């Protein structure tokens, strides 16, 4: 891609600072087709674009270093642009199947930052990156982590992992090849009950719909009276259909906020995972540290 005065990047940076970036995607697409702003070189490297002699052209290509030149210099010096490729790094596969350590804890989100995968040589990763997740450990449930703050990687095919949308969650993290990884899709959103315990509202199998044996039932729970759950997915969410549904008899509504009426306590939540998605992790239920 060739752009005039870095127009597209400046525009995308400006729009990303507002809530209307996704709503205004058509404008960005129109800019990419406007020869006053951008164009694409053909297979032979030739391109056409409208620009002033005082303008600067920016040359982009995936996995190559961007270069820029003044239009006047391109013409006078007959510059033939040859982009330099980014260096790649060897991909080392972690073949460890069972975690060296396994942690189940109630975590309070501190930060969740998207990080691109390195440019691997001859390997394309499915996710393209991960979320660097930093959480305060409010309560240890299984396995002792030596600090009160934990940092781990979380991968997900469709946008950010769902647990980052909740302030507090029951999280499952394993150590593989010396790194901490969130067990993909394994979590429960948690809220305080009136008597000070933790519970997850709604259908206990809301995140495990394909589990064959569903023996645990939600029960009436008095949650903290102040609990109000936002039910509308964020405006910048590309896959709103993946958010959980808030339905009766588990919830009642005040406007667009859900008030939980039924849910499941910690011990049963962990049993769901141990008998389902995490049954291969050899979790010993006798070692749970539930208060």
């Amino acid at each position: 891609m060739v752009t005039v005065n870095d127009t597209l990047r400046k525009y995308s940076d400006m729009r990303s600072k507002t809530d209307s970036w996704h709503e205004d995607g058509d404008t960005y697409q129109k800019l990419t087709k406007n020869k006053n702003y951008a164009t694409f070189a053909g297979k032979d490297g030739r391109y056409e674009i409208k620009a002033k002699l005082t303008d600067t052209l920016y040359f982009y290509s995936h996995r190559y270093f961007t270069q820029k030149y003044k239009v006047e210099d391109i013409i006078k010096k007959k510059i033939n642009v040859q982009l330099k490729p980014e260096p790649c790094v060897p991909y080392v596969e972690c073949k460890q199947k069972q975690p060296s350590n396994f942690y189940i804890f109630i975590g309070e989100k501190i930060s969740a930052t998207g990080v691109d995968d390195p440019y691997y040589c001859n390997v394309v990763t499915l996710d393209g990156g991960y979320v660097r997740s930093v959480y305060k450990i409010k309560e240890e449930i299984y396995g002792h982590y030596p600090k009160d703050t934990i940092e781990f990687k979380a991968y997900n095919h469709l946008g950010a992992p769902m647990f980052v949308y909740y302030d507090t969650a029951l999280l499952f993290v394993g150590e593989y090849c010396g790194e901490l990884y969130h067990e993909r899709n394994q979590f429960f959103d948690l809220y305080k009950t009136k008597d000070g315990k933790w519970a997850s509202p709604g259908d206990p199998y809301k995140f495990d719909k394909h589990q064959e044996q569903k023996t645990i039932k939600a029960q009436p729970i008095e949650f903290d009276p102040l609990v109000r759950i936002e039910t509308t997915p964020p405006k910048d969410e590309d896959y709103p259909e993946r958010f959980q549904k808030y339905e009766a008899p588990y919830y009642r509504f005040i406007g667009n906020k859900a008030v939980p009426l039924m849910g499941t306590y910690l011990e049963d939540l962990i049993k769901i995972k141990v008998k389902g998605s995490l049954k291969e992790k050899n979790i010993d239920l006798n070692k749970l540290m539930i208060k």
Side-chain angles (χ1 to χ4, degrees):
M1 175 183 274
V2 184
T3 70
V4 178
N5 298 328
D6 208 17
T7 306
L8 295 186
R9 186 193 62 78
K10 291 176 181 177
Y11 179 82
S12 63
D13 286 350
M14 181 268 293
R15 298 307 295 176
S16 65
K17 295 177 182 178
T18 72
D19 292 334
S20 59
W21 166 240
H22 284 263
E23 299 170 4
D24 201 29
D26 287 344
T27 302
Y28 181 82
Q29 292 301 321
K30 290 177 181 177
L31 286 176
T32 65
K33 299 174 183 178
N34 189 326
K35 291 294 183 69
N36 291 316
Y37 300 107
T39 191
F40 290 88
K43 292 182 179 179
D44 60 359
R46 295 179 178 273
Y47 62 93
E48 291 183 5
I49 195 167
K50 294 180 180 180
K52 301 175 184 178
L53 290 175
T54 54
D55 287 334
T56 298
L57 296 187
Y58 284 71
F59 298 83
Y60 305 89
S61 189
H62 185 56
R63 298 304 188 191
Y64 285 80
F65 291 111
T66 298
Q67 293 183 23
K68 62 179 181 177
Y69 299 95
K70 280 190 175 182
V71 173
E72 186 176 18
D73 290 338
I74 293 174
I75 296 173
K76 286 185 176 181
K77 300 179 183 179
K78 297 182 179 180
I79 294 174
N80 182 19
V81 179
Q82 297 287 339
L83 297 185
K84 295 180 180 179
E86 295 178 1
C88 63
V89 297
Y91 177 76
V92 180
E93 181 183 3
C94 176
K95 297 182 179 180
Q96 183 178 343
K97 301 301 180 183
Q98 287 296 328
S100 305
N101 293 288
F102 198 81
Y103 306 103
I104 304 175
F105 59 92
I106 299 171
E108 181 179 75
K109 184 172 68 176
I110 296 175
S111 66
T113 309
V115 179
D116 290 335
D117 278 335
Y119 177 22
Y120 292 119
C121 304
N122 304 318
V123 172
V124 177
T125 55
L126 291 176
D127 300 304
Y130 62 91
V131 171
R132 180 187 291 122
S133 307
V134 182
Y135 274 71
K136 177 182 178 181
I137 299 177
K138 294 180 70 69
E139 289 185 25
E140 289 184 321
I141 304 298
Y142 185 87
H144 172 63
Y145 189 72
K147 300 178 182 179
D148 60 3
T149 299
I150 186 170
E151 179 178 324
F152 54 90
K153 296 180 178 180
Y155 286 86
N156 192 65
H157 290 327
L158 303 177
M162 287 300 299
F163 68 83
V164 304
Y165 291 102
Y166 303 97
D167 293 332
T168 307
L170 179 64
L171 296 172
F172 303 81
V173 172
E175 182 181 345
Y176 299 87
C177 299
E179 294 242 33
L180 294 176
Y181 295 91
H182 173 252
E183 297 290 343
R184 192 185 294 259
N185 300 325
Q186 305 308 309
F187 79 99
F188 282 104
D189 54 324
L190 291 180
Y191 302 89
K192 277 287 190 179
T193 64
K194 190 175 181 179
D195 57 0
K197 297 181 180 180
W198 289 100
S200 183
D203 179 357
Y205 294 92
K206 58 190 176 184
F207 302 133
D208 299 83
K209 296 185 182 297
H210 300 295
Q211 191 160 323
E212 294 181 1
Q213 296 183 344
K214 299 180 179 180
T215 58
I216 293 174
K217 305 292 183 183
Q219 58 184 293
I221 293 177
E222 286 191 66
F223 283 87
D224 188 306
L226 297 178
V227 174
R228 299 287 187 274
I229 304 173
E230 177 61 59
T231 60
T232 305
K235 289 183 179 181
D236 61 351
E237 172 57 41
D238 290 324
Y239 306 95
E241 66 277 3
R242 68 193 180 115
F243 280 73
Q244 63 172 297
K245 303 295 186 292
Y246 297 91
E247 301 171 328
Y250 304 110
Y251 304 90
R252 66 181 178 89
F253 288 85
I254 298 179
N256 64 343
K257 300 291 180 67
V259 178
L261 302 176
M262 300 179 69
T264 308
Y265 289 106
L266 286 175
E267 189 167 359
D268 282 339
L269 293 174
I270 295 171
K271 286 180 181 178
I272 290 172
K273 297 297 185 183
V274 170
K275 294 180 180 180
S277 305
L278 299 176
K279 61 183 177 182
E280 305 296 332
K281 302 303 177 184
N282 300 323
I283 298 171
D284 186 353
L285 291 175
N286 293 320
K287 294 182 179 180
L288 296 182
M289 299 177 282
I290 296 177
K291 296 178 181 179

